[in-house]
């Protein structure tokens, strides 16, 4: 069965960086792209970007351009999301999510979420 | 950028009620519209893809319709386990945009 397992909670100071991992299993890794979505406390869902696990191509939300980097490691079937220059309003649960259907933005498989807290 | 306007932001209903949520796109998005359910402390769950296609295993009381700019999500008979927040989501080859969410309560 498809599983997306994320790394554990992180605490960072403003201005620092955080790198969250998402290990995929149960399917052919490079067949489906993966998105990152975050949710601030009590707020809605916000898309950060997408990475092709086949080519490494990325699409980032304009809001995060220059501050986010997504990478993939096919040898360990893991994708990473690094967010830099952290601010307190980056405090959120960060999710990775796999496409349910190829070439589709239908996010059918989600990680458990990683809590990132940004506080001085 | 395409904006997704979801309404209402919250609603109160009773068991057995018909619940309707709407999502409006700022421009024509064809049927590139999904619906998710999120319960507290859980990741979102995909319920409907491409406007009207029910995911396998999702109860038939859930349905979606629409195309272009106006979309509707319906729960035909609200059940206790349906208490959650629902999100619409548009996708294209460049980006993903979520609606603001609708919290369904008793």
């Amino acid at each position: 069965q498809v599983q997306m397992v994320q790394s554990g909670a992180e605490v960072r100071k403003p201005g620092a960086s955080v790198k969250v991992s998402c290990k995929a299993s149960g399917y052919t890794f490079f067949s489906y792209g993966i998105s990152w979505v975050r949710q601030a406390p009590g707020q809605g869902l916000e898309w950060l970007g997408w990475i092709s696990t086949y080519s490494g191509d990325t699409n980032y939300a304009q809001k995060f351009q220059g501050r986010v980097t997504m990478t993939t490691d096919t040898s360990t079937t893991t994708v990473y999301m690094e967010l830099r220059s952290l601010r307190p309003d980056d405090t959120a649960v960060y999710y990775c999510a796999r496409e349910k259907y190829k070439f589709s933005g239908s996010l059918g498989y989600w990680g458990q979420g990683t809590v990132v807290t940004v506080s001085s | 950028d395409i904006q997704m306007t979801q309404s209402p932001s919250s609603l109160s209903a009773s068991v057995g009620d018909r619940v309707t949520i709407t999502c409006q796109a700022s421009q024509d998005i064809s049927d590139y519209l999904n619906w998710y359910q999120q319960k507290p402390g859980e990741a979102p769950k995909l319920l409907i893809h491409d406007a009207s296609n029910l995911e396998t295993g999702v109860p038939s009381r859930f349905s979606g319709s629409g195309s272009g700019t106006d979309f509707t999500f319906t729960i035909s008979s609200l059940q206790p386990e349906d208490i959650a927040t629902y999100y619409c989501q548009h996708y294209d080859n460049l980006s993903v945009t979520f609606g603001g969410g609708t919290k369904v309560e008793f």
Side-chain angles (χ1 to χ4, degrees):
Chain A
Q1 73 282 21
V2 175
Q3 284 193 307
M4 314 292 285
V5 179
Q6 298 182 222
S7 49
E10 304 273 11
V11 179
R12 294 287 186 273
K13 294 189 182 304
S17 299
V18 69
K19 192 170 186 177
V20 180
S21 69
C22 171
K23 181 170 175 59
S25 62
Y27 70 98
T28 303
F29 179 68
F30 50 79
S31 293
Y32 298 89
I34 291 174
S35 281
W36 287 88
V37 176
R38 76 179 187 181
Q39 186 169 39
Q43 302 302 307
L45 302 171
E46 182 174 35
W47 181 76
L48 285 82
W50 168 92
I51 184 166
S52 165
T53 52
Y54 176 76
S55 64
D57 289 347
T58 54
N59 285 332
Y60 300 139
Q62 190 169 5
K63 174 178 178 178
F64 300 101
Q65 288 273 1
R67 208 159 67 92
V68 70
T69 300
M70 296 175 189
T71 55
T72 182
D73 182 345
T74 55
S75 67
T76 60
T77 65
T78 301
V79 296
Y80 298 89
M81 186 283 299
E82 181 181 32
L83 190 61
R84 300 177 293 279
S85 302
L86 290 167
R87 305 184 287 256
D89 63 359
D90 290 317
T91 294
V93 178
Y94 288 75
Y95 294 101
C96 62
R98 198 210 86 175
E99 299 165 346
K100 181 76 177 288
Y101 310 101
K102 289 185 180 182
F103 314 119
S104 159
S106 303
L107 305 176
Y109 302 97
W110 293 67
Q112 81 275 21
T114 296
V115 176
V116 175
T117 303
V118 183
S119 175
S120 55
Chain B
D1 287 0
I2 295 174
Q3 307 301 317
M4 305 301 299
T5 303
Q6 190 174 338
S7 61
S9 57
S10 65
L11 65 89
S12 180
S14 301
V15 174
D17 282 354
R18 184 181 184 86
V19 170
T20 299
I21 298 168
T22 63
C23 190
Q24 186 170 57
S26 58
Q27 64 190 75
D28 189 337
I29 61 169
S30 184
D31 62 355
Y32 297 124
L33 191 283
N34 303 317
W35 291 96
Y36 296 82
Q37 175 192 66
Q38 187 181 32
K39 297 181 178 180
E42 298 183 4
K45 175 185 177 183
L46 179 65
L47 297 182
I48 291 172
H49 74 270
D50 297 334
S52 60
N53 298 285
L54 198 66
E55 286 291 304
T56 302
V58 174
S60 59
R61 63 181 179 273
F62 295 100
S63 64
S65 64
S67 67
T69 60
D70 295 302
F71 300 85
T72 300
F73 172 82
T74 300
I75 307 172
S76 61
S77 177
L78 188 69
Q79 300 302 302
E81 60 267 31
D82 301 336
I83 296 305
T85 300
Y86 294 86
Y87 294 92
C88 64
Q89 173 229 357
H90 162 61
Y91 70 93
D92 59 27
N93 62 341
L94 292 177
S95 68
V96 164
T97 305
F98 289 94
T102 297
K103 188 174 185 179
V104 176
E105 303 172 295
F106 283 130

